[in-house]
Amino acid sequence: MEEVETWFQLERVSIVNCDMDCLPELQFECPSLLSLNIQHNQRLENLPKFFLRQMSNLTYLNLSSTKIHELPNEIITHLFNLEFLDISRTKIKSLPHELGNLKKLKYLFCGYLFLGKLQAGLLSNLYSLQVLDLYPYGYVEPKELEILRSFKGIGMCASTNEILQQFSHLPIVNINIQEIEGLLTLQLSSLTSEVHGWPKDLQIISCTTIQNIVITNRTKINLKFLRLFDLPKLRSFIWRIEPKEVFPMLQLVQIEACHSLTSLHWVLHLPLLYVLVLKNCDAIEELIDEEVGEIEEDKAITTFPRLKYLTIVHLPKLVKISSCVLDFPHLPKVHLEDCPNLKRLPFKPDIINNQGLLIKCEKKWWEILEWDDATIQSQFCSNSTEEEEITEFFGSKDIQLKELRKKNAKGLQLEPFAGKEDIFNVLKSSNFVLLLDNIWEEMCATMGAEEMIIKVECLEPDEAWDLFKDNVNLNVIESNENFKKIAWQVMRKCGGLPLALKVVGKAMSNKKSVQD
């Protein structure tokens, strides 16, 4: 990091997602530095000794998504001006009581740390704190929950009914309800209130007695992520209002090991649902069990309007996703596995037009699928080997794109499966790039033209040379025999194509020497 000597002048330093395993030693103070962000450096395990000691005026520190395993002691002993601290997704296992010395700390993020119960008395010492995120594994003792009422946002775990019953009085943003016994029915409205705002992330894990989730709210709940794991007796969601009205912001639904659940029809019209994951749900026979007539009555409303990822794994009784075909206007990724009784997919013929469409499934299962429109299956290709049990089927256009990318990679002397970033990195160092494709043919087909009317003939060498000269710097070509010879060779490579001659000629028009 060559610019480290300039740090003493800087107010903000950001070293994000750089795959660093160490940071530079600082031999000087950085009195102007207010913000340091080193998140997403997955190999970083330690900070250099005395590193943070040089930043006594720091107000913002983000160490998230690193492998730092212990809260640096210098944070407690030297960063008394710190207002924001994020240690989420690190290896830190506990918060020292001395953290309470940071009297100016307003935001403390400890997401996805296995902290368990927060030390008694720590919160009362952090009297400037406004936001505390311990989600999903950390929690606060019931007797200290009163302190959180004045906060602006909280994320935490509820593992007892005593904690859960106080959530309606708290500004809970992220909730994990885990291993609460005796809970038969969960009223979603009991988790929070309009006064404090609604949660964004709700996770319920291993509550083995819960049977129903009841949604009675008459107002919108801005929940974005809903995850349900290991709820063996959960039978149903009971709605007093249309799901799309109460969940207008819901983007992810993930349900696993809910063995009594029989359907999930309410996901059909969620306006922003982006990801739907279902795994190990033994009782579901029909995912969308609404009557065909009910779906057809709503045909003016697109089904799954934003869905991008659909995963259905190990639903042994699943016979059908829906009794009628559904819209999936933006769905590119589908993973279907271990659903032996599922014989049909509810796709319309236009599913093949979805950009980047890929279906991952068992090859033998794919081969015996039944289709209302046989042309759909015929438009999928796979590049798997015969030995592979699980394979990926691409829309034929996407397989063609993969083959084209392979050819381009070979021409650029790259590995066969080089990605678009690799190809771009080679091309960006070139003086010019000439791309020839069939885009006009595809546009004509899209516009409904029945045939290609204009046919461009290749020019004879003399005509091609004249057109080429019209587009280059003629003075430079005529002034140097070597340059003239190179220009003639380049012209011949264009094969007499008028567009190529003009584009390449223009690209050479600013060249002043053979070296250029």
Side-chain angles (χ1 to χ4, degrees):
M1 200 170 301
E2 298 133 8
E3 302 87 3
V4 68
E5 63 273 6
T6 67
W7 279 32
F8 77 95
Q9 301 173 326
L10 301 177
E11 292 185 2
R12 292 174 176 81
V13 172
S14 183
I15 312 168
V16 175
N17 200 20
C18 294
D19 196 34
M20 299 185 67
D21 58 2
C22 63
L23 290 171
E25 298 277 354
L26 290 181
Q27 307 297 333
F28 47 83
E29 290 190 10
C30 303
S32 301
L33 194 60
L34 302 177
S35 171
L36 177 63
N37 185 357
I38 56 175
Q39 64 177 315
H40 293 295
N41 286 288
Q42 301 284 355
R43 297 193 298 141
L44 184 65
E45 297 184 6
N46 296 290
L47 299 183
K49 194 174 182 181
F50 308 131
F51 181 76
L52 294 173
R53 189 174 297 185
Q54 311 288 9
M55 309 171 188
S56 57
N57 291 318
L58 206 64
T59 60
Y60 177 101
L61 178 60
N62 193 335
L63 306 176
S64 64
S65 297
T66 62
K67 285 191 175 178
I68 293 174
H69 51 80
E70 188 176 1
L71 192 71
N73 190 55
E74 294 164 302
I75 292 178
I76 299 163
T77 58
H78 286 78
L79 302 186
F80 298 120
N81 292 306
L82 202 62
E83 297 179 8
F84 180 104
L85 176 61
D86 191 345
I87 55 173
S88 303
R89 299 180 187 273
T90 61
K91 301 297 182 181
I92 295 171
K93 292 184 173 63
S94 63
L95 299 179
H97 186 76
E98 290 78 14
L99 191 66
N101 294 336
L102 303 180
K103 304 301 183 184
K104 295 183 180 181
L105 193 65
K106 297 177 181 178
Y107 304 89
L108 177 58
F109 293 90
C110 308
Y112 291 89
L113 302 186
F114 293 94
L115 296 176
K117 182 175 67 177
L118 212 60
Q119 280 196 41
L122 178 58
L123 283 180
S124 57
N125 288 329
L126 294 170
Y127 47 71
S128 296
L129 203 60
Q130 300 173 12
V131 174
L132 173 65
D133 185 17
L134 304 172
Y135 177 86
Y137 307 118
Y139 62 95
V140 175
E141 278 191 288
K143 63 183 180 182
E144 292 203 82
L145 289 174
E146 185 70 28
I147 299 172
L148 302 178
R149 291 197 178 199
S150 61
F151 279 35
K152 292 181 178 179
I154 303 163
M156 63 179 288
C157 172
S159 55
T160 66
N161 265 311
E162 187 180 4
I163 295 175
L164 186 62
Q165 288 168 7
Q166 294 195 50
F167 273 9
S168 61
H169 306 294
L170 301 173
I172 298 289
V173 177
N174 301 323
I175 304 173
N176 179 28
I177 301 171
Q178 186 167 341
E179 297 177 353
I180 298 180
E181 293 299 322
L183 182 64
L184 299 178
T185 297
L186 176 66
Q187 294 274 355
L188 210 58
S189 58
S190 69
L191 298 181
T192 184
S193 67
E194 289 185 77
V195 175
H196 296 295
W198 302 102
K200 299 291 188 295
D201 197 332
L202 171 61
Q203 180 170 283
I204 308 175
I205 301 179
S206 300
C207 295
T208 57
T209 57
I210 191 169
Q211 297 178 11
N212 302 298
I213 295 176
V214 180
I215 301 95
T216 58
N217 302 75
R218 295 185 178 182
T219 57
K220 295 177 180 178
I221 297 176
N222 291 325
L223 190 69
K224 290 186 176 181
F225 309 105
L226 176 63
R227 301 178 179 89
L228 308 175
F229 303 111
D230 188 25
L231 308 178
K233 294 187 178 179
L234 177 65
R235 294 197 306 258
S236 62
F237 295 82
I238 300 173
W239 299 89
R240 309 295 188 212
I241 187 173
E242 278 288 312
K244 62 186 177 185
E245 298 296 330
V246 75
F247 283 147
M249 305 298 290
L250 193 58
Q251 297 174 17
L252 179 145
V253 174
Q254 184 174 0
I255 300 178
E256 300 187 20
C258 296
H259 300 304
S260 301
L261 196 64
T262 56
S263 81
L264 210 65
H265 68 274
W266 55 270
V267 301
L268 189 63
H269 295 301
L270 293 177
L272 292 182
L273 186 64
Y274 191 82
V275 178
L276 177 59
V277 178
L278 297 172
K279 293 183 178 180
N280 304 312
C281 296
D282 294 346
I284 295 180
E285 296 182 14
E286 185 174 356
L287 186 60
I288 309 297
D289 63 354
E290 287 188 2
E291 295 295 326
V292 174
E294 292 178 9
I295 296 177
E296 289 182 344
E297 280 178 19
D298 283 341
K299 62 185 177 183
I301 304 173
T302 303
T303 58
F304 295 113
R306 295 289 183 91
L307 194 66
K308 294 277 190 181
Y309 299 93
L310 173 62
T311 296
I312 302 177
V313 175
H314 190 67
L315 271 62
K317 291 186 179 180
L318 184 67
V319 175
K320 59 180 77 171
I321 293 175
S322 169
S323 296
C324 63
V325 292
L326 303 172
D327 292 307
F328 295 89
H330 300 289
L331 180 65
K333 299 291 183 291
V334 182
H335 180 193
L336 296 164
E337 189 176 337
D338 199 14
C339 302
N341 293 305
L342 181 63
K343 305 299 183 185
R344 289 174 177 264
L345 298 179
F347 293 156
K348 294 182 177 180
D350 60 1
I351 187 75
I352 197 68
N353 296 323
N354 287 13
Q355 186 175 5
L357 181 62
L358 180 151
I359 299 178
K360 182 179 179 181
C361 62
E362 293 144 305
K363 188 185 295 185
K364 290 182 179 179
W365 175 83
W366 175 266
E367 290 169 353
I368 61 172
L369 270 179
E370 301 169 6
W371 299 83
D372 291 325
D373 187 335
T375 63
I376 299 178
Q377 189 178 33
S378 66
Q379 295 184 70
F380 283 90
C381 305
S382 174
N383 56 4
S384 67
T385 64
E386 291 186 7
E387 294 78 23
E388 291 178 298
E389 293 183 10
I390 305 296
T391 189
E392 295 177 341
F393 291 89
F394 304 85
S396 54
K397 288 183 180 179
D398 301 298
I399 206 78
Q400 290 169 13
L401 180 61
K402 277 181 165 282
E403 291 302 317
L404 178 60
R405 207 173 270 165
K406 260 196 235 181
K407 289 179 182 178
N408 288 339
K410 183 178 179 181
L412 296 169
Q413 298 182 332
L414 294 171
E415 292 296 320
F417 293 99
K420 59 186 178 182
E421 294 83 5
D422 302 310
I423 294 173
F424 172 75
N425 288 333
V426 172
L427 293 180
K428 72 180 182 180
S429 61
S430 302
N431 289 330
F432 66 88
V433 178
L434 174 63
L435 300 176
L436 300 174
D437 61 25
N438 66 340
I439 188 170
W440 295 111
E441 182 180 348
E442 292 187 10
M443 285 183 66
C444 288
T446 303
M447 294 168 66
E450 294 183 1
E451 61 181 61
M452 303 296 291
I453 298 173
I454 301 171
K455 184 177 181 180
V456 179
E457 301 286 354
C458 295
L459 301 177
E460 295 295 327
D462 290 343
E463 295 173 314
W465 179 239
D466 289 338
L467 179 59
F468 189 76
K469 288 194 297 182
D470 288 342
N471 290 278
V472 298
N473 189 334
L474 198 56
N475 292 332
V476 174
I477 287 180
E478 296 294 346
S479 67
N480 187 303
E481 281 301 319
N482 285 336
F483 209 147
K484 189 173 183 178
K485 183 178 178 181
I486 292 171
W488 176 264
Q489 291 172 347
V490 171
M491 181 276 295
R492 293 298 298 269
K493 289 282 187 182
C494 292
L497 293 169
L499 180 59
L501 291 162
K502 293 191 72 170
V503 171
V504 176
K506 287 289 186 186
M508 290 185 65
S509 63
N510 63 344
K511 308 305 178 189
K512 302 291 175 61
S513 66
V514 175
Q515 287 73 23
D516 291 341

